[in-house]
């Protein structure tokens, strides 16, 4: 089966780090050229819906754990006798681990499958939350927040990889933006819930809530969610190894084997892939080297600055609202709702537009988009299909970043900053969804790795922005701080045009560069 050949070619050859980093391009294009008859995924529509729902559930944990914490920053600072800036460092360390941890777990999920990595990360996450609920000193807070981020942050990268496992480029935009919408929804629900819990049960209750939620996820995930990693199960027609099998999939494959005992000629194709007994070492260097590709690195640089500027609005928000409007913890949490609602609206709208624009571009070059088997990405202008939608969202977001600082400085009624937060969220979610989808299009056989690389760049710069924004505000004031942030994003925006213009050329050069070593090694 072609799924079997795909899994063989996805193994690294001769320690060639660059070849490993870009092997997904070669494999995916060869598969397109060699076999257009195989269905991309054999999962039923109902199974796909269930996978989307569970993936959305899992991806909520990383941003949810970040934002449910924000209303508790002031109470924690008072409890420990520390400054707000000191407690903000726990937000920074959370973002640092958001950048680093997915490099290991994203690539590991490409190698051994999604299910084992989900289990590992959620065990870490459960332990960290229990520790956070029980700890009593500042040092423990910092260490356990790092572990909490380690356990939860990989879910976003793996979530995008799961969507790539069973979708084609023609319909991928809608699925991936569904996951991104869940990430954007967290800033609405998490601070509100965090405010309620902190106000009435104390700040420790937020960590007990996260512990319970993670336990509920595992109770549903372990018995019912199938393995999707194409390196392990192909398009779903290869049985998963025992370690990767859910209870339901193990029962279904056992029943199928029993039905086929009288047909020995068909038994070979139902043998599971053998995975190494030892956990392989994730190729972190290969993930990092993806950033050095001209098109990918340029887009990641721009989007990281973009996300940093938007996060710089959110972190000081709770202190701004508390001081200017004399709000309590619950009221502060409610003020995050407009941003997240705008983010969900933006991500949902962009998801529909991505699929529409893909079909439009396909028709313009005389191609009929294939949602079941996928199109040949080597010759398809995927940069044009994705990046044409970036400009309206970028202009909207930059305008809202600049306006935010002056509105806060002017001390207007609460309605003005809430409206800006709504449109700022809409402006951010669109470009993040577009770039996440494009990166998976460029690296379809290593979606976990490329998603973790994107996560590294945006989380690193977001951590820097979170760490320094309060000091810049103290020196310049809100107006000039966010004017500066907006100008940074605006100055970097030509990166979009550069990749749209030269991206196809760079993509073909990358294909040719890594095709030769692959041919010599076979």
């Amino acid at each position: 089966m072609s799924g079997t050949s795909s899994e063989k070619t996805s193994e690294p050859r001769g320690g060639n780090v660059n070849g490993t980093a870009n092997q997904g391009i070669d494999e995916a294009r060869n598969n397109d050229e060699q076999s257009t008859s195989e269905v991309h995924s054999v999962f039923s529509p109902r199974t796909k819906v269930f996978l989307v729902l569970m993936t959305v559930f899992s991806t909520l944990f990383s941003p949810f754990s970040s934002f449910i914490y924000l209303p508790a920053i002031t109470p924690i600072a008072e409890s420990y006798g520390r400054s707000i800036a000191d407690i903000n460092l726990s937000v920074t360390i959370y973002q640092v681990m958001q950048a680093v941890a997915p490099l290991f777990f994203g690539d590991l999920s490409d190698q051994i499958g999604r299910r084992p990595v989900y289990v590992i990360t959620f065990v870490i996450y459960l332990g960290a939350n229990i520790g956070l609920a029980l700890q009593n000193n500042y040092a423990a807070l910092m260490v356990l927040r790092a572990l909490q981020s380690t356990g939860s942050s990989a879910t976003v990268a793996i979530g995008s990889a799961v969507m790539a496992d069973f979708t084609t480029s023609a319909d991928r935009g809608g699925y991936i933006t569904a996951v991104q919408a869940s990430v954007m929804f967290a800033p609405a629900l998490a601070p509100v819930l965090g405010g309620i819990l902190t106000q009435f049960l104390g700040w420790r209750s937020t960590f007990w809530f996260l512990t319970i939620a993670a336990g509920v996820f595992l109770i549903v995930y372990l018995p019912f969610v199938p393995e999707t990693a194409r390196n392990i199960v192909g398009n779903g027609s290869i049985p998963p190894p025992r370690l990767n099998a859910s209870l339901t999939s193990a029962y279904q494959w056992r029943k199928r084997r029993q039905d086929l005992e009288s047909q020995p000629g068909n038994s070979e194709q139902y043998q599971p892939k053998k995975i190494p007994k030892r956990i392989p070492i994730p190729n972190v260097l290969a993930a990092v080297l993806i950033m050095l590709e001209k098109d990918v690195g340029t887009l990641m640089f721009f989007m990281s600055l973009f996300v940093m500027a938007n996060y710089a609005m959110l972190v000081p928000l709770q202190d701004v609202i508390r001081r200017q409007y004399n709000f309590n913890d619950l009221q502060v949490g409610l003020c995050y709702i407009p941003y997240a609602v705008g983010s969900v609206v933006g991500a949902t709208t962009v998801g529909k537009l991505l699929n529409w624009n893909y079909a439009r571009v396909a028709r313009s070059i005389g191609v009929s988009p294939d949602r079941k088997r996928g199109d040949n990405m080597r010759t398809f202008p995927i940069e044009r299909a994705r990046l044409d939608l970036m400009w309206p969202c970028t202009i909207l977001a930059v305008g809202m970043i600049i306006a935010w600082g002056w509105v806060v400085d002017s001390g207007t009624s609460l309605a003005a900053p809430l409206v800006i937060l709504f449109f700022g969220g809409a402006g951010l979610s669109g470009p993040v969804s577009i770039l996440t989808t494009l990166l998976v299009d460029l690296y379809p056989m290593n979606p976990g790795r490329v998603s973790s690389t994107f996560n590294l760049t945006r989380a690193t710069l977001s951590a820097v922005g979170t760490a320094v924004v309060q000091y810049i505000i103290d020196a310049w004031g809100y107006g000039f701080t966010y004017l500066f942030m907006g100008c940074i994003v605006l100055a970097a925006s030509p990166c979009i045009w550069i990749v749209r213009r030269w991206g196809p050329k760079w993509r073909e050069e990358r294909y040719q560069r890594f095709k030769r070593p692959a041919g010599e090694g076979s």
Side-chain angles (χ1 to χ4, degrees):
M1 295 180 65
S2 62
T4 306
S5 64
S6 174
E7 57 193 51
K8 289 180 180 177
T9 57
S10 65
E11 297 173 359
R13 291 184 176 91
N16 187 331
V17 175
N18 286 339
T20 304
N22 295 275
Q23 62 187 317
I25 302 165
D26 195 17
E27 294 161 3
R29 286 166 178 163
N30 284 339
N31 288 342
D32 282 334
E33 293 166 1
Q34 292 171 2
S35 176
T36 59
S37 60
E38 185 184 64
V39 174
H40 186 77
S41 174
V42 299
F43 291 116
S44 68
R46 290 179 62 182
T47 301
K48 290 181 179 179
V49 170
F50 179 59
L51 284 168
V52 170
L53 292 176
M54 289 303 295
T55 303
V56 166
F57 189 6
S58 70
T59 54
L60 279 172
F61 281 96
S62 180
F64 207 92
S65 301
S66 178
F67 283 93
I68 199 173
Y69 181 76
L70 295 184
I73 287 177
T74 299
I76 292 174
E78 294 171 353
S79 176
Y80 288 162
R82 295 274 185 163
S83 67
I84 295 294
D86 286 342
I87 304 301
N88 275 345
L89 288 177
S90 65
V91 178
T92 301
I93 198 169
Y94 187 95
Q95 292 175 322
V96 169
M97 295 311 298
Q98 271 187 319
V100 175
L103 289 177
F104 294 89
F105 293 120
D107 187 64
L108 187 63
S109 75
D110 287 339
Q111 296 186 52
I112 68 172
R114 316 298 179 205
R115 279 181 57 87
V117 176
Y118 265 128
V119 173
I120 293 170
T121 55
F122 270 91
V123 168
I124 296 172
Y125 181 72
L126 278 168
N129 279 307
I130 293 172
L132 283 164
L134 298 175
Q135 52 81 30
N136 289 297
N137 65 76
Y138 180 72
L141 174 71
M142 301 295 283
V143 171
L144 290 169
R145 278 285 284 174
L147 283 176
Q148 184 192 40
S149 179
T150 299
S152 66
S153 57
T155 59
V156 177
I158 300 175
S160 296
V162 171
M163 295 299 99
D165 289 336
F166 63 87
T167 60
T168 65
S169 295
D171 62 358
R172 185 171 293 148
Y175 283 99
I176 289 182
T177 51
V179 175
Q180 293 300 316
S182 71
V183 175
M184 300 299 176
F185 180 71
L189 182 59
V192 175
L193 185 57
I196 294 173
L197 292 171
T198 302
Q199 181 78 14
F200 297 105
L201 298 176
W203 57 265
R204 295 180 189 275
S205 62
T206 60
F207 301 117
W208 287 121
F209 172 83
L210 294 173
T211 301
I212 295 170
V216 170
F217 172 82
L218 285 176
I219 288 172
V220 179
Y221 184 86
L222 289 173
F224 299 117
V225 179
E227 178 62 69
T228 61
R230 300 185 72 83
N231 188 43
I232 304 298
V233 297
N235 64 357
S237 60
I238 302 173
R242 183 175 300 178
L243 182 65
N244 299 68
S246 65
L247 294 178
T248 52
S249 62
Y251 170 77
Q252 290 167 355
W253 279 106
R254 184 167 60 250
K255 184 178 180 181
R256 187 174 301 180
R257 287 192 189 96
Q258 292 172 353
D259 293 339
L260 291 170
E261 283 180 351
S262 60
Q263 305 175 32
N266 293 329
S267 61
E268 180 64 25
Q269 68 184 39
Y270 292 110
Q271 295 303 313
K273 175 183 176 179
K274 292 182 179 180
I275 60 175
K277 294 182 179 180
R278 294 183 180 181
I279 297 178
I281 299 175
N283 198 335
V284 176
L285 181 58
V288 173
L289 288 176
I290 290 176
M291 291 186 293
L292 301 183
E293 295 296 329
K294 297 174 185 176
D295 50 353
V296 175
T298 301
L299 287 174
M300 285 187 177
F301 173 72
F302 168 70
M303 280 307 305
S304 298
L305 293 174
F306 194 95
V307 173
M308 179 197 72
N310 279 271
Y311 265 67
M313 293 170 57
L314 294 180
V315 173
L317 175 60
Q318 60 91 24
D319 191 52
V320 170
I321 298 297
R322 198 184 300 273
R323 286 188 295 101
Q324 288 200 4
Y325 303 100
N326 197 28
F327 279 3
N328 61 31
D329 296 329
L330 174 58
Q331 291 169 319
V332 168
L334 291 172
C335 291
Y336 287 87
I337 290 180
Y339 180 86
V341 171
S343 298
V344 172
V345 171
T348 304
T349 303
V350 165
K352 296 181 181 298
L353 290 175
L354 278 172
N355 290 343
W356 167 81
N357 199 50
Y358 182 97
R360 182 186 67 84
V361 171
R363 288 193 298 269
S364 71
I365 61 172
V367 174
S368 178
D370 191 338
R371 296 178 182 271
K372 290 187 176 181
R373 296 174 177 82
D375 301 306
N376 188 344
M377 285 295 101
R378 183 178 179 184
T379 57
F380 190 87
I382 193 65
E383 293 84 359
R384 174 183 160 197
R386 304 305 191 201
L387 296 179
D388 281 353
L389 303 174
M390 285 282 284
W391 289 110
C393 297
T394 302
I395 293 170
L396 175 63
V398 170
M400 294 302 102
I401 291 169
I402 294 173
W404 169 253
W406 299 112
V407 167
V408 170
D409 262 349
S410 65
T412 61
S413 67
L414 183 62
L418 294 185
V419 169
I420 288 177
L421 286 171
F422 174 84
F423 286 106
L428 169 66
S429 61
V432 171
S433 299
I434 292 168
L435 182 56
T436 302
T437 305
L438 177 57
L439 290 175
V440 172
D441 290 331
L442 296 176
Y443 289 84
M445 296 305 292
N446 298 112
R449 179 181 294 168
V450 72
S451 297
S452 67
T453 305
F454 179 35
N455 195 77
L456 169 67
T457 58
R458 66 179 179 179
T460 300
L461 284 184
S462 294
V464 172
T466 300
V468 304
V469 65
Q470 191 61 51
Y471 298 104
I472 300 176
I473 291 170
D474 293 341
W476 291 359
Y478 286 96
F480 285 106
T481 296
Y482 290 101
L483 175 62
F484 172 69
M485 294 285 184
C487 288
I488 288 177
V489 176
L490 195 62
S493 61
C495 292
I496 303 170
W497 178 81
I498 290 172
V499 174
R500 188 191 184 282
R501 173 66 178 81
W502 286 287
K505 175 185 175 183
W506 293 336
R507 178 158 49 94
E508 178 62 20
E509 288 174 355
R510 179 166 60 243
Y511 172 78
Q512 294 293 341
R513 189 167 73 248
F514 293 103
K515 180 181 179 181
R516 287 191 295 272
E520 294 168 5
S522 58

